[in-house]
Amino acid sequence: MTNVNLGTALIERNEVDRAIEVFGSVIDTAVLGDETYEHALAYKNLGLSLMLQGNIAEGAKHYAWHWQTREFTPRELPLPQWTGEPLSDERVLITWEQGFGD
């Protein structure tokens, strides 16, 4: 967890490039299928860092790991979640994920 905290501190110091390196090193230690909570945080924070640099598409892919962190609680809705498949005559409900700032 120490390296994730270091990366987070680097973001707060506006040293985003260094933070990306730190989060990348945490991710590199993951074994496929054996990722830990620390890896989920590193992926999420890497995503935030990339988005801070303007790399929204790549950052969003990594930020999706926030679903695997303890801090995130998905909203319970009585509807299936859209997973990106093509839509034809369907409706999509868009709602906030984490609060009214989304």
Side-chain angles (χ1 to χ4, degrees):
M1 193 70 160
T2 303
N3 286 335
V4 172
N5 291 338
L6 171 61
T8 302
L10 289 167
I11 289 173
E12 291 177 11
R13 291 176 47 108
N14 202 27
E15 296 182 39
V16 179
D17 291 337
R18 287 188 57 208
I20 288 171
E21 291 175 15
V22 169
F23 295 133
S25 70
V26 173
I27 291 166
D28 288 344
T29 67
V31 176
L32 188 61
D34 194 30
E35 294 90 353
T36 66
Y37 173 69
E38 183 177 17
H39 294 110
L41 283 177
Y43 274 109
K44 178 198 88 154
N45 290 338
L46 174 60
L48 289 172
S49 301
L50 290 167
M51 288 189 278
L52 282 171
Q53 288 186 326
N55 190 344
I56 305 301
E58 187 68 21
K61 291 177 190 175
H62 294 296
Y63 182 73
W65 276 80
H66 76 282
W67 284 71
Q68 307 303 317
T69 64
R70 293 181 202 130
E71 295 83 9
F72 180 71
T73 305
R75 295 183 66 211
E76 297 292 327
L77 297 173
L79 304 166
Q81 181 178 355
W82 180 54
T83 57
E85 67 276 4
L87 299 173
S88 176
D89 297 326
E90 288 92 359
R91 294 181 185 195
V92 176
L93 172 65
I94 299 174
T95 183
W96 68 89
E97 181 182 81
Q98 299 171 13
F100 288 114
D102 288 354

